[in-house]
Amino acid sequence: MKSQHIPVPILTRRLLFPPVTQATSEGLLAVGGDLSTDRLMLAYRSGVFPWFSDDSLLLWWSPDPRAVLFPNKLKVSRSMRRLLQKDRFRVTRNRNFTEVITHCARVGRGEQEGTWITERMLQAYGELHNLGYAVSYEVWEDNKLVGGLYGIDLGHVFCGESMFSLVSNASKVAFIHMVRELEVQGYTCIDCQVYSQHLGTLGAEEIPREAFLEILTNSG
C-alpha cells in the first residue's frame, strides 16, 4: 500500500486522530505521533491501524472498504477439514507471543518488500501483550512452533495483524482455530484490514468503512 502524494495531517503528542473520512482514497489518515499503548488502543478502537517501514514516519491507515471476516462465514476447504481431522497440529493461545511476532516480522507482509514489523513495533506490541490486549495463537508440530498469528483483542472484534507459516497450512490452522474459538465466545467479526485473495478463500469480505465503524461502536 503506497500513500498518495497529498498533504495529510501530522499528529502531535495529543491523543487524537483526524476523522477517518479525511483519509486518502488509499486509506492513509495521518503521519507521526508515537506507538504508546494509549495511542495504539485509541487507533484500533477508532478503526485505525499503523503500517509503515523502518525508514519512514509512522503512518496511520483507515481504508475504505474494510476487509473483515464474520465468524459464521468462515470457509474451510475439504482438504483443510481433512488436515484438521488428523490432529497433526496443536494450537495454543498466548503460549509464546514474542516468538510469533518475531517470526511474523521475518516473513514481511504480503507483496511489500522487507518487513513492516519494525523494532519499534516489536516493543510496542510486546507492551500491549503484557497488558492483555495483544494476543497470539501458536501452531505446534512435534512440539516445534511451525506457525501462528497475532492481533489486538477488543473484546468483541479481533484485529488481526500478521501470521506466518514454517510448514504448509500452519497459519491457516491458527486462523481457523481462532475464528472458531471467537465465534463460540460471541465475537462480532475479525478485522482483516486489507483484503487479499488468501483471506478471501477463508471467508473474508469487504464492507464499507462506515459499517465497520458501526460494528466497533455498537458491539463495544
Side-chain angles (χ1 to χ4, degrees), residues 83-153:
L83 177 62
L84 293 169
Q85 291 171 356
K86 293 180 179 179
D87 292 326
R88 170 184 167 187
F89 300 110
R90 178 170 59 91
V91 183
T92 57
R93 183 179 186 274
N94 279 342
R95 181 67 59 85
N96 198 329
F97 179 86
T98 299
E99 193 166 353
V100 168
I101 192 172
T102 300
H103 276 294
C104 289
R106 292 171 182 165
V107 301
R109 181 173 186 151
E111 298 177 353
Q112 184 182 20
E113 294 182 0
T115 180
W116 66 280
I117 306 175
T118 65
E119 287 298 325
R120 286 184 291 173
M121 294 284 273
L122 290 171
Q123 180 178 354
Y125 283 78
E127 293 173 0
L128 287 177
H129 175 67
N130 292 335
L131 292 172
Y133 294 118
V135 173
S136 63
Y137 285 82
E138 303 87 10
V139 179
W140 308 86
E141 183 179 27
D142 298 327
N143 294 319
K144 179 181 178 181
L145 182 67
V146 294
L149 62 84
Y150 80 96
I152 302 300
D153 190 345

Side-chain angles (χ1 to χ4, degrees), residues 150-161:
Y150 80 96
I152 302 300
D153 190 345
L154 297 181
H156 61 292
V157 172
F158 187 90
C159 303
E161 279 296 319

Side-chain angles (χ1 to χ4, degrees), residues 7 13 17 22 26-28 34 36 54 57 67 72 75 80-81 108 127 131 134 143 146 154 172 174 177 192 219:
R13 293 183 179 180
F17 285 99
Q22 294 183 13
E26 292 183 338
L28 180 61
D34 55 58
S36 66
D54 202 18
L57 292 172
N72 64 345
K75 295 179 181 178
M80 280 302 301
R81 289 198 297 270
E127 293 173 0
L131 292 172
N143 294 319
V146 294
L154 297 181
K172 284 187 178 181
H177 179 95
C192 301
S219 301

